[in-house]
Amino acid sequence: MARQRQERAVRTRDALIQAAAETFDENGFSGAGINRILERAGVTPGAMYFHFKSKEDLARAVIVEQAAALRLPEQPSGIQQLVNLTLYLAGEMQRNVRFRAGVRLAVDQTEGGVQDFTVYEWWGEKFRQELLAARARDELLEDVDEAECARVLVAAYTGTQLMSQLSTGRADLPQQIVAMWRYLLPGIARPRTVSRVTVDAALSVAA
Amino acid sequence: MARQRQERAVRTRDALIQAAAETFDENGFSGAGINRILERAGVTPGAMYFHFKSKEDLARAVIVEQAAALRLPEQPSGIQQLVNLTLYLAGEMQRNVRFRAGVRLAVDQTEGGVQDFTVYEWWGEKFRQELLAARARDELLEDVDEAECARVLVAAYTGTQLMSQLSTGRADLPQQIVAMWRYLLPGIARPRTVSRVTVDAALSVAA
């Protein structure tokens, strides 16, 4: 019985996070009504408050869990893996509603919302690790500052994502990420690395 | 009398746009209350409805007029002017509330708001004109596609602006734009142009 209760609690929590992600993705934080989320999840207010005290709590859970569900490389390995990672993320933006909702919550400037800089810092650190691996493999130009460059990449990625969403509902996001790399790679990687790296929108489909 | 009335109408319209810009800048589109805007402008609902039928109308006016008030170069002239333009815009984001509000309205994903892609296209075209001038001056690398590159620059700028706002309230925006150029210029301009162009955060202060 205790085990059944526990399983049900896990399912309820997951249904709430899924429903919240779908609603935040469609309406943003301030436009997402708690009632809509509860209806979608098929959960009562009482059952929700056992897991989440507020819409802010739910939004925080979406942000934390979207990252946990991604299939990310275990070890940093340099420029090719960094490129692959940005294309994989472009594909996730197209097909994974929790990831999409987490990004929207981070980008939207909601009043009294949950917005903070943590998500950008987390990705900046991931990118920096790949750049450090690239440095160890002698793939980087001499004067590249790994932390600064990682931040520039996160910023460029964020803006590309936003524009692709507004113009095509993200249909062209992988192609736009390819274009971004076209102009950024020569300022980051050595010419021999630039000529070796594959930047292909098809990489957004496979993982 | 007719002239006085006209002048008063112009002042009322301007007060409404200023109050709307301040409120959108602080609270975003969905968080901005019409009453707060009217109070701030010292204008009655009746006087507002003579100029603007809705909050959407006001937001559209802020977006259109923020661009009109900028001091932009009359003729495109290439890479240096493009760099200067991005730094001038960084300064305007810091000191000009109408510009800031217009950008926030364009970036925010409000429910039922005024968001569209036009602002990005407008800036993309400005940037493209500078790149075409750069091409005529033989400043660009051979395989740069001016339209694609302009779009990448607008995306990188947009993401940089967003991250700077979240992390430092835009205090470091000029420095972050300098960092952006550091990694983008070598993929866009010929080496001799890269070595000649000045990219200095101090350019954000003067116009």
Side-chain angles (χ1 to χ4, degrees):
Chain A
M1 275 300 273
R3 189 188 163 82
Q4 274 190 335
R5 256 205 310 274
Q6 202 181 349
E7 280 171 5
R8 197 169 56 220
V10 168
R11 275 201 310 275
T12 299
R13 187 172 186 280
D14 193 68
L16 280 166
I17 289 181
Q18 181 68 20
E22 290 168 5
T23 313
F24 290 140
D25 178 45
E26 286 165 14
N27 302 117
F29 181 79
S30 50
I34 279 283
N35 289 338
R36 178 91 187 86
I37 295 171
L38 290 173
E39 196 181 298
R40 211 163 200 161
V43 166
T44 63
M48 172 183 147
Y49 285 106
F50 175 74
H51 297 281
F52 303 104
K53 300 292 169 235
S54 64
K55 194 163 79 165
E56 283 78 6
D57 264 9
L58 259 172
R60 255 185 293 271
V62 168
I63 288 176
V64 170
E65 307 228 339
Q66 51 97 358
L70 297 174
R71 278 182 294 158
L72 300 177
E74 291 186 8
Q75 292 294 325
S77 82
I79 293 290
Q80 183 68 61
Q81 185 161 288
L82 177 55
V83 168
N84 294 358
L85 181 56
T86 60
L87 287 163
Y88 165 67
L89 294 177
E92 284 294 291
M93 283 300 285
Q94 294 179 319
R95 62 190 166 242
N96 179 342
V97 69
R98 293 190 188 195
F99 182 54
R100 211 153 56 221
V103 170
R104 174 159 185 180
L105 288 168
V107 169
D108 265 11
Q109 299 173 55
T110 55
E111 70 285 10
V114 291
Q115 187 195 47
D116 63 50
F117 195 60
T118 322
V119 179
Y120 297 96
E121 279 173 334
W122 194 88
W123 285 108
E125 180 55 23
K126 273 274 171 228
F127 287 10
R128 191 178 73 90
Q129 292 297 334
E130 297 293 351
L131 290 172
L132 289 172
R135 171 72 69 204
R137 290 168 160 232
D138 199 26
E139 294 179 340
L140 295 191
L141 295 173
E142 299 239 337
D143 61 350
V144 168
D145 176 304
E146 293 87 356
E148 180 188 65
C149 183
R151 195 187 151 108
V152 167
L153 285 169
V154 173
Y157 189 93
T158 300
T160 303
Q161 189 295 108
L162 190 62
M163 280 178 64
S164 168
Q165 177 201 344
L166 287 176
S167 58
T168 68
R170 298 198 189 86
D172 73 350
L173 182 54
Q175 286 74 30
Q176 296 298 334
I177 296 295
V178 169
M180 175 191 99
W181 278 115
R182 185 170 174 194
Y183 300 100
L184 271 167
L185 262 189
I188 297 170
R190 292 193 187 281
R192 67 163 181 271
T193 303
V194 174
S195 64
R196 268 185 211 155
V197 166
T198 305
V199 187
D200 184 346
L203 286 168
S204 68
V205 180
Chain B
M1 275 300 274
R3 188 186 165 82
Q4 272 189 336
R5 256 205 309 276
Q6 203 182 349
E7 280 172 6
R8 197 169 57 220
V10 169
R11 275 202 308 277
T12 299
R13 187 172 187 282
D14 194 69
L16 281 165
I17 290 181
Q18 181 68 19
E22 289 168 6
T23 312
F24 290 139
D25 179 46
E26 285 165 14
N27 302 116
F29 181 79
S30 49
I34 279 283
N35 289 338
R36 178 89 188 89
I37 295 172
L38 290 173
E39 195 182 296
R40 212 164 199 160
V43 165
T44 63
M48 171 183 146
Y49 285 106
F50 175 73
H51 296 280
F52 304 103
K53 300 293 169 236
S54 63
K55 194 164 78 165
E56 282 78 5
D57 265 7
L58 259 172
R60 255 185 292 272
V62 168
I63 288 176
V64 170
E65 306 228 341
Q66 51 97 357
L70 296 175
R71 277 181 295 157
L72 300 177
E74 292 186 8
Q75 293 293 325
S77 83
I79 293 290
Q80 182 68 61
Q81 186 160 286
L82 177 56
V83 169
N84 294 358
L85 180 57
T86 59
L87 288 162
Y88 165 67
L89 293 177
E92 284 294 291
M93 283 300 286
Q94 293 178 320
R95 62 189 167 244
N96 179 343
V97 69
R98 293 191 187 195
F99 183 54
R100 210 152 57 220
V103 170
R104 175 159 185 179
L105 288 168
V107 170
D108 264 11
Q109 300 173 53
T110 55
E111 69 283 11
V114 291
Q115 187 194 48
D116 63 50
F117 196 60
T118 322
V119 178
Y120 296 97
E121 279 173 334
W122 194 88
W123 284 108
E125 180 55 23
K126 275 271 170 230
F127 286 11
R128 191 178 74 91
Q129 292 297 333
E130 296 293 351
L131 291 172
L132 289 173
R135 171 70 68 202
R137 290 168 161 233
D138 199 26
E139 293 179 341
L140 295 191
L141 295 173
E142 299 237 338
D143 61 352
V144 168
D145 176 303
E146 293 87 355
E148 179 187 65
C149 183
R151 194 186 152 109
V152 167
L153 285 169
V154 172
Y157 189 93
T158 300
T160 304
Q161 183 304 99
L162 190 62
M163 280 178 64
S164 168
Q165 176 202 343
L166 287 176
S167 58
T168 68
R170 298 198 188 86
D172 73 350
L173 182 54
Q175 287 73 30
Q176 296 298 336
I177 296 296
V178 169
M180 175 191 99
W181 279 115
R182 185 170 173 193
Y183 299 100
L184 271 167
L185 262 188
I188 298 170
R190 292 193 187 281
R192 66 162 181 274
T193 303
V194 175
S195 65
R196 270 186 211 152
V197 165
T198 305
V199 187
D200 184 345
L203 286 168
S204 68
V205 180

